[in-house]
Amino acid sequence: MILRLAIGSLLARALTVGMTVLAIALSVALFLGVEKVRTGARASFADTISGTDLIVGARSGSVQLLLYSVFRIGNATNNVTWESYQDIATRPEVDWIVPISLGDSHRQFRVMGTTPEFFDRYKYRGGRALTFAAGHSLGDLYDTVIGADVADTLGYAVGDPIVVSHGLASFTAHSDQPFRVAGIVAKTGTPVDRTVIVSLEAIEAIHVDWQSGAQIPGKTTPVDVIRTMDLTPTAISAALVGVKSRLQVFKLQRWINEYPEEPLLAVLPGVALQELWQIVGIAEKALIGVSAMVVVTALLGMMAMILSSLGERRREMAVWRAMGARPATILSLLVLEAALMAAAGAVLGVALLYAGLALARPWVDATFGIWLPIEPPDVRELWVLAGVIAAAALASLVPAIRAYRMSLADGMMVRI
Amino acid sequence: MIGRIAIFASLVATQVYSQEHRELGAHEHGVGQMDIAIEGTRLWMELHAPGADIVGFEHAAGNADDRAKIDSAVALLARPLDLFVFPSAAECTVVEAKAEIEAETHEESGEEGGHDHDEADAHDDDGGHTEFHAEYALDCANPSAIDRIAFAYFETFPNARELELQVLTETGAQAFEIERNAPVLELAGRS
């Protein structure tokens, strides 16, 4: 009965109520959206590397090493000499080791030199292995394997030629030694999608005629001569290491960190990520705080709307009183109206959020490489929604108590 | 001109210095590092703690008193289950425990300089940092029962303020900071 009254009363004032509901909906969508992006970004990062026990690079910071070697974000770390790499590779604790060499690019995509073992060892999203959507792994010296985004964006298919550029700016091209697309890796949602993978030897090969970043004029070594050359690299950017037993990980980490011949750094990917979150966490908290304030603002707006409506509804209240409604009924009517508005706002907000996610997802994925999952709201989010409705009911107590008092004092006699 | 010579001289000096000297690790008084790895029923722990945390001084043990302090500290460190308390349901036993004191720099050469303390150091003039190092292998019959570890370590060593912890389990690696005022690691729902 009272519910029907409340709904009827809200519908009668559809425009102002609608605006209030919209304000609540937008604030709820913003609050939940911030949370979605935050957890989505974290999950994307955490899913990018799995099964790797240690990342080894030149001594820098653990976050920098992780970001550069795995996510190709941020400043380049120093290189690691091939001798040190060999030293680590021959350690008894090491189960497998995959070198990574960065520094060249193809169009807007990074080129990564590695060994074919990378495709077996690199795991993402809880242990999933890379699979080939087309073609095969690295075989020939001039083979490349490209990520799904590279293939999509540039329209490459298996067998197409590729020219790799020196450094990140594409003004100097290694056009004398074109590569061929040998395989395309199926979409992973990791930076591999945006990477052109070549063999470590190929990275050496394209730099045969280059010295300190520029091509030696007039000198081009024919491709068949390069093929006969010793293309053992002199340096790599980083290495992914798998350790035989978990119990030996820390021992190896310490050994690498104390390696006397070269300042090296070994980090546990999970720990480095956690360190990153500690830094990012402060900004995240600020973001959550701001979006929570937006929710509070919307609820205050609703309270102001109800308060200002009391004047107009004085006669309505008086009629209810005349029809036998007790002051408590009027109080509960107003609280119920507010809760209904907040509930409508919450539902609409969730709808807005999912619509927004569906629209923004491809763009966010392509631009930032963050895959936002579209899942039904989890328990935490449901609690947030319940909290918004409860807060709305609580906020409406201010006008409701006022109306309660007025209806006691006014009785039937409304003097306006 | 004299200034230039001085700069040149100092450059040469640092170069010579860097040739005969390697490097210094991070050293923060009050903060130790600890690693814990769990695989199957095996648990491996390694502790590195500044001498200041454990015995309160970092100079070479000059007298019998200092030596006695170091000896008793090493003896304490060799009993991991008293320092790091596992739930009794985990049924952990010590397979191997060794503790030792190691000088972090060439201690005998005395004045080395060039290292900064994170904290004001009114205590040592003789340059070398010492570190206690302990390695433990435990066997836990029921490792899934390890949902928390209590660090009695902080009660035993009143100068220790913090342990930076890396924990490696089946589900991956995690880092924790265990502080004196909350000396418990909660692993429930994480591992």
Side-chain angles (χ1 to χ4, degrees), chain A residues 238-400:
Chain A
L240 308 179
V241 179
V243 178
K244 279 178 192 143
S245 160
R246 212 175 293 136
L247 304 176
Q248 296 168 333
V249 170
F250 291 119
K251 206 172 258 181
L252 183 65
Q253 183 190 24
R254 203 162 274 277
W255 183 84
I256 293 170
N257 286 340
E258 288 170 0
Y259 183 69
E261 278 79 12
E262 192 178 348
L264 296 177
L265 175 71
V267 297
L268 290 102
V271 170
L273 256 187
Q274 228 179 319
E275 223 169 278
L276 177 66
W277 295 138
Q278 274 172 8
I279 302 164
V280 177
I282 301 161
E284 282 181 348
K285 281 206 186 92
L287 212 56
I288 291 173
V290 169
S291 53
M293 287 317 287
V294 174
V295 175
V296 171
T297 311
L299 291 179
L300 279 179
M302 181 198 70
M303 192 165 97
M305 188 276 276
I306 300 175
L307 264 177
S308 70
S309 75
L310 282 186
E312 312 161 12
R313 298 176 71 187
R314 226 161 159 181
R315 207 171 279 278
E316 180 192 337
M317 307 284 171
V319 172
W320 278 340
R321 291 281 284 140
M323 290 175 74
R326 280 171 310 175
T329 317
I330 289 179
L331 183 133
S332 56
L333 179 75
L334 283 173
V335 172
L336 185 65
E337 279 182 18
L340 280 176
M341 277 192 275
V347 171
L348 187 64
V350 171
L352 278 175
L353 171 69
Y354 283 108
L357 277 182
L359 282 176
R361 182 151 79 162
W363 178 77
V364 171
D365 182 33
T367 320
F368 302 107
I370 293 170
W371 184 250
L372 299 173
I374 297 186
E375 291 160 344
D378 60 19
V379 181
R380 208 180 114 85
E381 287 165 326
L382 290 178
W383 272 112
V384 168
L385 295 179
V388 168
I389 296 170
L394 210 64
S396 73
L397 275 179
V398 176

Side-chain angles (χ1 to χ4, degrees), chain A residues 59 244-247 249-251 253-254 258-261 263 268 270-271 274, chain B residues 22-23 35-39 42 44 46 48 135 166 168-170 173-175:
Chain A
R59 191 162 304 159
K244 279 178 192 143
S245 160
R246 212 175 293 136
L247 304 176
V249 170
F250 291 119
K251 206 172 258 181
Q253 183 190 24
R254 203 162 274 277
E258 288 170 0
Y259 183 69
E261 278 79 12
L268 290 102
V271 170
Q274 228 179 319
Chain B
R22 290 284 181 204
E23 59 182 304
D35 301 327
I36 301 178
I38 305 175
E39 188 173 66
R42 268 303 160 104
W44 188 84
E46 189 170 348
H48 288 258
E135 281 181 28
Q166 295 190 107
L168 189 60
T169 63
E170 245 175 301
Q174 278 186 306

Side-chain angles (χ1 to χ4, degrees), chain A residues 140-144 177-181 202 205-206 223 226-227:
Chain A
D140 184 70
L141 179 61
Y142 290 107
D143 273 354
T144 75
Q177 296 179 52
F179 283 78
R180 193 183 65 87
V181 176
I206 54 179
V223 166
I226 289 175
R227 281 181 187 281

Side-chain angles (χ1 to χ4, degrees), chain B residues 26-68:
Chain B
H27 184 93
E28 191 181 353
H29 289 180
V31 182
Q33 279 99 40
M34 188 169 172
D35 301 327
I36 301 178
I38 305 175
E39 188 173 66
T41 62
R42 268 303 160 104
L43 204 134
W44 188 84
M45 303 197 288
E46 189 170 348
L47 173 76
H48 288 258
D53 287 26
I54 304 295
V55 288
F57 59 87
E58 298 207 339
H59 53 80
N63 52 40
D65 192 29
D66 288 353
R67 238 169 266 132

